[in-house]
């Protein structure tokens, strides 16, 4: 399955366009590595959500952080995911599925070829 993005670069603009026509700008605070971290979080959640499960989830938030090397090539040296589950009915099952997702998520596995990877799971109970 081919995935495509087309980058366009001038003195005034830097952006890429996805096949649906959406324009994604590169600017301070949303450069290539922010998009990579977003892709990692999105892929990780998509893989996690595709797993067969018995429990219910109200909300899952994934924060991806990457630390780049200071020597060329400046690939990621350390990457971490903090996964926060809210309203998770079966916490043991959720943790097991997160572990399985780390093994199966394609973007996670791609980044792991150049970077140490950490995954932390935290739960927040509903405060109602």
């Amino acid at each position: 399955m081919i995935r495509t993005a087309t980058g366009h670069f001038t003195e005034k603009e830097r952006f890429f366009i996805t096949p649906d026509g959406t324009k994604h700008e590169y600017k301070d605070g949303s450069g290539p590595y922010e998009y990579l971290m977003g892709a990692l979080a999105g892929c990780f959640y998509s893989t996690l959500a595709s797993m067969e499960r018995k429990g219910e989830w109200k909300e899952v938030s994934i924060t991806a952080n990457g630390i780049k090397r200071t020597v060329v090539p400046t690939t990621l040296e350390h990457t971490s995911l903090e996964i926060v589950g809210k309203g998770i009915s079966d916490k043991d099952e959720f943790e097991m599925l997160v572990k399985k997702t780390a093994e199966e998520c394609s973007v996670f596995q791609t980044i792991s070829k150049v970077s140490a990877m950490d995954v932390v799971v935290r739960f927040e109970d509903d405060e109602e």
Side-chain angles (χ1 to χ4, degrees):
M1 176 183 324
I2 190 167
R3 301 292 190 198
T4 303
T6 303
H8 300 275
F9 308 94
T10 68
E11 288 184 26
K12 294 180 180 182
E13 286 189 296
R14 299 182 316 139
F15 62 92
F16 67 94
I17 297 176
T18 50
D20 68 356
T22 304
K23 181 179 177 180
H24 305 271
E25 293 184 74
Y26 296 112
K27 54 188 175 184
D28 290 341
S30 66
Y33 275 85
E34 286 76 23
Y35 282 111
L36 179 61
M37 293 298 98
L40 173 57
C43 183
F44 201 92
Y45 179 76
S46 293
T47 305
L48 178 64
S50 73
M51 302 272 176
E52 189 173 319
R53 66 180 188 261
K54 295 178 183 169
E56 294 180 15
W57 311 340
K58 258 193 184 169
E59 183 179 330
V60 176
S61 297
I62 301 174
T63 301
N65 290 296
I67 299 171
K68 289 176 63 177
R69 289 179 171 79
T70 57
V71 296
V72 176
T74 56
T75 58
L76 289 170
E77 180 175 32
H78 186 262
T79 305
S80 62
L81 290 178
E82 180 186 36
I83 300 165
V84 178
K86 188 172 185 178
I88 308 296
S89 65
D90 187 336
K91 292 178 173 121
D92 290 335
E93 177 192 53
F94 185 82
E95 287 179 327
M96 183 271 303
L97 291 174
V98 166
K99 191 173 199 175
K100 187 175 178 185
T101 297
E103 296 169 0
E104 296 186 16
C105 171
S106 60
V107 174
F108 185 95
Q109 286 300 313
T110 299
I111 294 171
S112 76
K113 304 302 182 221
V114 298
S115 178
M117 306 293 283
D118 289 322
V119 178
V120 174
V121 176
R122 194 165 52 81
F123 296 103
E124 289 183 359
D125 293 324
D126 293 335
E127 310 266 335
E128 294 182 43

